[in-house]
Amino acid sequence: MSIHLVIIDALNLIRRVHSAQPDPNDIARTITTTTRTLNKIITESQPTHIIAVFDHHLQERGWRADILPEYKQNRKPMPEPLMKGLESIQDAWWKLGIDSLLSEGDEADDLVATLAMKVASHNEKVTIISTDKGYCQLLSPTLQIRDYFQHRWLDEPFIDKEFGVKPNQLADYWGLAGVSSSQVPGVPGVGPKAAKEILNQFNDIEQAYASDELPTKYRKKLDEHIESARKCKLVSALKTDIELGFNLQDLRFNGANEA
């Protein structure tokens, strides 16, 4: 039997639904809206297996902040009503037949990436439901990313139009250009246009740094800031080798659970 694993980037979905609501204290409405959304996702995607992956809300900024102290330093804390309502949301999702996986020492992104790559590497179909373009570095013939809110696929043509590089160059792209929303600085003086130009000429940061053909306008910048570029690439990349502690059979979708 062919497999289709759907992975829900849970807080990505919940935060967007919650922020659009007129009353931030109305968790019942968040539950109703996210449940309706997930029912549509299930109907559209017809998963054989499904899981919702959550960042642990008590977790610090993780291993990335050890490498880059400013990483996500200014991110807004989760609204208190939403934090208090997470368990109720998870219970509602469980009734739909969707279990929840909470990260501990790793960010949810890395758990999603590890699980997705493990299944996709066996030529089975995986769909990640998220607006997070960071997942696009994982794209493969059997792994796709769905931005549910914009009703679009974050696929190779999208990446080419948005960034002008290949999916497997995205960590290098962010290593050079940075990610302002996560306080990842990249290389000073190298913006999106320059990062694209460099990576259209070279496969990655290391090849560009080692080459005598690197344009002079970028040579000094890279010579002075190569360590920053390396660190920023490292925190932009996703871990795909986390010990998961469960197998695919545990994620089988059998329809709604009894209340």
Side-chain angles (χ1 to χ4, degrees):
M1 185 189 82
S2 60
I3 286 168
H4 182 197
L5 170 64
V6 172
I7 306 174
I8 310 294
D9 182 359
L11 291 185
N12 178 274
L13 187 152
I14 291 167
R15 279 179 175 269
R16 274 156 183 76
V17 168
H18 184 260
S19 66
Q21 290 178 185
D23 182 1
N25 293 304
D26 189 359
I27 298 303
R29 186 167 179 175
T30 302
I31 292 171
T32 300
T33 306
T34 58
T35 298
R36 186 167 60 241
T37 299
L38 288 173
N39 270 321
K40 288 180 181 177
I41 289 168
I42 289 168
T43 300
E44 290 172 8
S45 59
Q46 294 292 300
T48 60
H49 298 73
I50 192 166
I51 188 71
V53 182
F54 286 77
D55 272 313
H56 198 293
H57 63 276
L58 297 176
Q59 178 185 305
E60 295 299 322
R61 289 175 295 130
W63 62 269
R64 290 179 173 86
D66 294 335
I67 295 169
L68 199 67
E70 60 265 46
Y71 175 72
K72 288 189 177 180
Q73 201 167 36
N74 298 328
R75 71 174 178 180
K76 294 179 181 178
M78 185 183 298
E80 192 173 343
L82 187 55
M83 189 181 295
K84 288 180 177 177
L86 280 182
E87 194 170 329
S88 297
I89 293 170
Q90 289 165 3
D91 287 344
W93 290 13
W94 182 84
K95 289 174 184 174
L96 290 179
I98 303 172
D99 211 345
S100 297
L101 174 64
L102 270 66
S103 65
E104 291 180 5
D106 298 279
E107 289 191 73
D109 294 3
D110 297 317
L111 283 176
V112 170
T114 296
L115 179 57
M117 290 295 285
K118 188 172 184 180
V119 174
S121 67
H122 289 91
N123 292 317
E124 301 291 359
K125 186 177 177 182
V126 179
T127 302
I128 299 171
I129 306 292
S130 181
T131 65
D132 186 347
K133 299 178 184 73
Y135 291 121
C136 293
Q137 61 193 280
L138 305 174
L139 281 168
S140 75
T142 58
L143 195 158
Q144 57 189 1
I145 297 101
R146 180 69 171 168
D147 178 346
Y148 177 82
F149 295 98
Q150 296 293 325
H151 305 292
R152 65 186 179 184
W153 296 99
L154 304 185
D155 52 14
E156 287 202 36
F158 171 83
I159 295 305
D160 184 53
K161 185 178 179 181
E162 185 87 353
F163 301 105
V165 300
K166 297 173 184 174
N168 63 7
Q169 292 178 304
L170 282 170
D172 291 273
Y173 176 90
W174 291 315
L176 292 167
V179 186
S180 58
S181 61
S182 299
Q183 289 82 60
V184 176
V187 174
V190 175
K193 186 178 178 181
K196 173 185 172 181
E197 187 177 328
I198 291 168
L199 293 172
N200 285 173
Q201 183 177 356
F202 304 100
N203 290 331
D204 53 35
I205 288 170
E206 295 303 332
Q207 190 183 84
Y209 179 63
S211 176
D212 292 335
E213 296 179 14
L214 180 68
T216 306
K217 59 184 175 180
Y218 302 132
R219 169 52 62 196
K220 186 178 179 183
K221 292 181 174 70
L222 226 56
D223 281 350
E224 289 181 0
H225 301 286
I226 186 62
E227 288 309 315
S228 176
R230 287 167 174 161
K231 285 181 181 180
C232 293
K233 174 182 177 177
L234 191 56
V235 300
S236 299
L238 294 166
K239 277 188 178 182
T240 58
D241 59 355
I242 296 171
E243 187 63 45
L244 293 172
F246 59 87
N247 59 47
L248 191 60
Q249 185 60 35
D250 298 326
L251 311 185
R252 181 172 290 281
F253 179 63
N254 296 310
N257 287 309
E258 295 296 327

